[in-house]
Amino acid sequence: MLARWILRGSVRISLFLWVIHLIQLGFCSELKVRVRLPDGQITNEVLEADSERDSISLEYKQGDGTLITFVADFKQDVKIFRALILGELERGQSQYQALCFISRLSHNEIIPSESMARLRQKNPHAIRTAEERRGVEEMGMSVGVNLTRSWQLSAHIHNMCSVAREAVYTREADVKHWLERGVEGSMFEPLPQASDTPGLLSCSQTQDMWQPCSCSYGLRLEWYPCLLKYCRNRDTTGRGNPYKCGIKSCSKGYHFTYYVPHKQLCLWDGEA
């Protein structure tokens, strides 16, 4: 199926890599993109769009083997981050450790699922870097989430986060918003914080492996379509008619802080 490809003047640059199909090709689609990581390694990023469920997923593997998965649920305005971190068997850890972070999805964070489903790249072998590198968003995850009731927030949470078991977190501000929408409060459990728990240190400052501490974990979505680009066609009267003609790609970092019952669950914190 052919896409309409319009190249005029300055429009040529914005359409060089991407074209958005004007005909919907089913409910689901997959896009594989080769992305350069900050350490210079190349990773294969997979983006999937489900226009029927109105969601987008993004997944890639970091240089250290950690598998990062991100889901945007537009129906529920929820975003989910999952990290599958390879365990250090020689230090008593299991084969991998799973973390899940849940938050509200803001408008215009990422392009709609319908637009993502129509996205194709002209050169699938090209190595991509984001056009805009955004800063790091600090996210204090002070509340635990009970997976058995998580369907009230998003049907995606249980499928993504079941491997994380009790390591599923969200923010207090998000909880307040969801409670106002009628979500059951029994789903959430406030976690100990440094402000009301004397002696609770960051895990980077804690020496005893079995002491509770405040853990930090950071990740970055290295490449994702953050905005739609619009171009204009001139009609016979000279007026411009806007149409979708491409995307803008972004990179954004996230820094999560959350309580762990012992440092053994946060061995990376404070290590080079």
Side-chain angles (χ1 to χ4, degrees):
M1 190 173 293
L2 296 177
R4 297 182 180 179
W5 192 258
I6 303 174
L7 299 176
R8 295 179 181 175
S10 62
V11 178
R12 184 181 300 272
I13 297 176
S14 63
L15 291 179
F16 181 66
L17 296 176
W18 303 99
V19 59
I20 298 179
H21 283 219
L22 300 179
I23 301 176
Q24 179 70 33
L25 304 178
F27 286 118
C28 300
S29 69
E30 180 181 275
L31 183 69
K32 294 182 179 180
V33 182
R34 301 182 71 203
V35 178
R36 187 181 301 278
L37 299 175
D39 60 6
Q41 296 189 56
I42 307 301
T43 189
N44 292 314
E45 185 175 290
V46 179
L47 299 99
E48 294 184 350
D50 187 334
S51 54
E52 184 178 26
R53 300 180 69 187
D54 200 8
S55 65
I56 289 173
S57 68
L58 177 160
E59 188 168 81
Y60 75 97
K61 186 175 289 186
Q62 296 183 159
D64 63 0
T66 298
L67 185 67
I68 300 296
T69 308
F70 168 80
V71 167
D73 181 347
F74 295 97
K75 279 188 177 180
Q76 298 296 109
D77 293 329
V78 169
K79 59 186 175 186
I80 310 161
F81 301 86
R82 185 186 67 189
L84 295 180
I85 307 164
L86 293 179
E88 299 183 49
L89 301 180
E90 68 279 7
R91 301 178 70 177
Q93 289 191 323
S94 56
Q95 187 175 2
Y96 67 87
Q97 183 176 344
L99 303 173
C100 255
F101 305 103
I102 304 166
S103 184
R104 290 173 61 190
L105 178 68
S106 301
H107 294 294
N108 300 321
E109 280 193 63
I110 191 169
I111 68 172
S113 61
E114 182 179 350
S115 298
M116 179 76 84
R118 295 170 179 171
L119 198 62
R120 302 292 181 270
Q121 55 180 327
K122 184 179 180 182
N123 182 4
H125 302 292
I127 298 172
R128 312 293 180 189
T129 55
E131 297 173 66
E132 180 183 341
R133 187 174 177 84
R134 296 180 174 178
V136 176
E137 182 176 354
E138 297 290 339
M139 305 187 76
M141 313 302 281
S142 58
V143 180
V145 178
N146 185 334
L147 282 179
T148 60
R149 297 180 176 87
S150 62
W151 56 268
Q152 296 180 59
L153 294 181
S154 170
H156 298 275
I157 295 175
H158 191 273
N159 291 337
M160 277 190 66
C161 300
S162 58
V163 293
R165 299 180 182 177
E166 297 180 359
V168 185
Y169 308 97
T170 189
R171 301 184 297 183
E172 184 178 355
D174 294 324
V175 171
K176 290 180 179 178
H177 170 76
W178 291 323
L179 291 177
E180 291 173 356
R181 289 178 49 187
V183 171
E184 292 182 21
S186 58
M187 186 193 313
F188 307 109
E189 179 185 355
L191 301 173
Q193 300 298 304
S195 58
D196 53 21
T197 308
L200 184 67
L201 302 174
S202 67
C203 292
S204 61
Q205 297 175 310
T206 302
Q207 300 300 318
D208 188 342
M209 287 295 176
W210 303 105
Q211 278 289 109
C213 55
S214 179
C215 185
S216 294
Y217 185 77
L219 61 84
R220 176 169 283 274
L221 301 183
E222 292 293 346
W223 191 99
Y224 66 96
C226 53
L227 291 171
L228 293 172
K229 290 181 179 179
Y230 287 85
C231 303
R232 286 184 177 274
N233 267 338
R234 295 290 178 181
D235 59 20
T236 55
T237 65
R239 291 181 298 181
N241 297 316
Y243 64 93
K244 300 172 185 177
C245 60
I247 59 136
K248 178 179 181 179
S249 59
C250 291
S251 167
K252 183 175 179 179
Y254 298 86
H255 183 253
F256 305 97
T257 55
Y258 57 98
Y259 171 86
V260 291
H262 48 81
K263 183 178 178 176
Q264 184 73 5
L265 296 173
C266 188
L267 293 180
W268 57 81
D269 199 356
E271 295 185 352

